[in-house]
Amino acid sequence: MTDFPLLDLSAFYAADPEGRAEIGAEVDRICRETGFLAVTGHGVPQEVIDALWTQARSFFAQSPDEKHAVAPVSGGPYGYLGPGTEALAKSRGEDTPPDLKESFNGGPAAIPEGETDPDALAFCYAPTPFPALSGFKEAWRSYYAEMEALAARIMEVFAVALNLPQDHFAPFISSPISGMRALNYPAQDSVPEENQLRAGAHTDYGSLTILLPEPGSRGLEILTPEGDWKGVPPIDGAFVINIGDLMALWTNGRWTSTLHRVVTPPDWATKRRMSIAYFHQPNWHAEVKPLAGGATQSVISGPYLMQKFAAANG
């Protein structure tokens, strides 16, 4: 049992309109307070999850030279990032040592028909440099497709939570430019530098993030409304969902894009920790503006994402 908020997605879809509205109202409350919840009843096949875990472990078990063979091209978002190359806290102006992690990153499987924007083609639709491990690309693509479909279902819940038609967001996410990363936080054989974490405090950029922590692992923390860091407990069979900066803008600040980080509990310092994160982002050309409140601020999804990426990796 846990006091962490749960959304049973299967219960939402089994409910009548009144029941869906009740679930939506609870999701609205959660998103106003922290924007973090766990999703069960998600329908993602366990064999798809297991296949990617197997491939991710094989990838990170390779030598540094083998992993760096699929490093990103200069300025590109996809491929392998080794330890010491990213400090997420810098995305919010905090100068910290590099995060204690490594990652493999990938993007959409296909370019939408008729897409000609040169920035879109060079950035979000750049090819993912897959490693030469047997079965890796297939496992990655299968899991990514499941996440894209799951994100669309969660966005339907979000629409109901905001008292909108259930399909309100569908035109904005018909060809999402979402990124996905497999993360490995190696076991620590030395004392970290001051203010050095496995992942520094940050908010996510997009509409929502779907995180799959390694079963039983700990270390993810969120900043509560009271200003305290609270650990997210491991929840068997669940994904951890959080909203990002773009959804906070979309809701005109009604919903919260909460700071979160990955720390090293003392009993986990000698263990590695892994997770898989899918960062849902609306279509490249989607205009996102506040739903209510008279605000005039708006952004275009693709250029917005490029700007956020450059700020964190400059």
Side-chain angles (χ1 to χ4, degrees):
M1 298 296 291
T2 174
D3 62 354
F4 196 74
L6 299 176
L7 165 65
D8 183 344
L9 202 56
S10 62
F12 174 84
Y13 282 102
D16 59 18
E18 182 178 352
R20 292 187 183 189
E22 291 177 359
I23 294 171
E26 177 64 10
V27 169
D28 174 57
R29 181 191 67 79
I30 295 165
C31 288
R32 283 186 281 114
E33 292 181 357
T34 65
F36 267 82
L37 64 157
V39 171
T40 61
H42 47 72
V44 178
Q46 189 61 44
E47 58 267 26
V48 173
I49 296 172
D50 292 342
L52 186 53
W53 276 133
T54 297
Q55 292 294 334
R57 291 186 183 104
S58 295
F59 175 79
F60 289 120
Q62 295 181 114
S63 69
D65 285 346
E66 288 173 312
K67 289 182 283 191
H68 280 291
V70 291
V73 298
S74 179
Y78 307 135
Y80 172 71
L81 294 177
T85 58
E86 188 176 54
L88 287 174
K90 289 186 176 180
S91 65
R92 48 189 291 265
E94 185 178 347
D95 189 16
T96 66
D99 295 339
L100 298 166
K101 68 176 187 294
E102 58 182 341
S103 65
F104 178 82
N105 307 269
I111 302 171
E113 184 177 353
E115 180 58 75
T116 60
D117 188 298
D119 285 337
L121 297 175
F123 187 70
C124 287
Y125 293 113
T128 297
F130 286 106
L133 293 171
S134 177
F136 185 99
K137 181 178 180 179
E138 293 75 15
W140 184 274
R141 290 296 195 213
S142 294
Y143 185 91
Y144 184 102
E146 291 288 345
M147 293 301 99
E148 189 169 294
L150 177 58
R153 296 195 293 273
I154 294 170
M155 290 293 283
E156 290 189 338
V157 178
F158 283 180
V160 172
L162 293 164
N163 294 314
L164 298 168
Q166 188 168 310
D167 63 352
H168 174 83
F169 292 113
F172 299 90
I173 59 171
S174 55
S175 298
I177 52 173
S178 310
M180 192 168 84
R181 64 183 354 192
L183 291 142
N184 184 51
Y185 305 93
Q188 297 170 19
D189 55 8
S190 60
V191 178
E193 299 179 42
E194 186 178 359
N195 295 324
Q196 189 174 33
L197 303 176
R198 281 182 158 172
H202 64 285
T203 57
D204 293 341
Y205 308 150
S207 42
L208 65 94
T209 299
I210 304 175
L211 179 71
L212 182 63
E214 194 169 17
S217 64
R218 295 185 294 112
L220 176 62
E221 294 183 340
I222 65 173
L223 189 65
T224 68
E226 295 75 31
D228 301 317
W229 287 104
K230 178 182 179 180
V232 175
I235 302 170
D236 290 343
F239 292 97
V240 176
I241 310 297
N242 66 278
I243 66 168
D245 300 340
L246 194 66
M247 185 57 73
L249 183 155
W250 221 337
T251 62
N252 201 29
R254 177 180 179 84
W255 286 3
T256 299
S257 179
T258 293
L259 278 174
H260 52 286
R261 66 186 186 181
V262 179
V263 301
T264 308
D267 59 330
W268 274 81
T270 58
K271 306 176 187 178
R272 80 171 182 181
R273 179 187 188 274
M274 295 181 63
S275 63
I276 302 165
Y278 172 86
F279 302 97
H280 188 244
Q281 183 77 23
N283 305 351
W284 177 272
H285 299 282
E287 181 182 10
V288 175
K289 55 185 177 181
L291 292 165
T296 58
Q297 179 189 13
S298 68
V299 298
I300 303 300
S301 175
Y304 160 90
L305 180 61
M306 282 187 68
Q307 184 181 42
K308 288 276 193 176
F309 180 85
N313 294 273

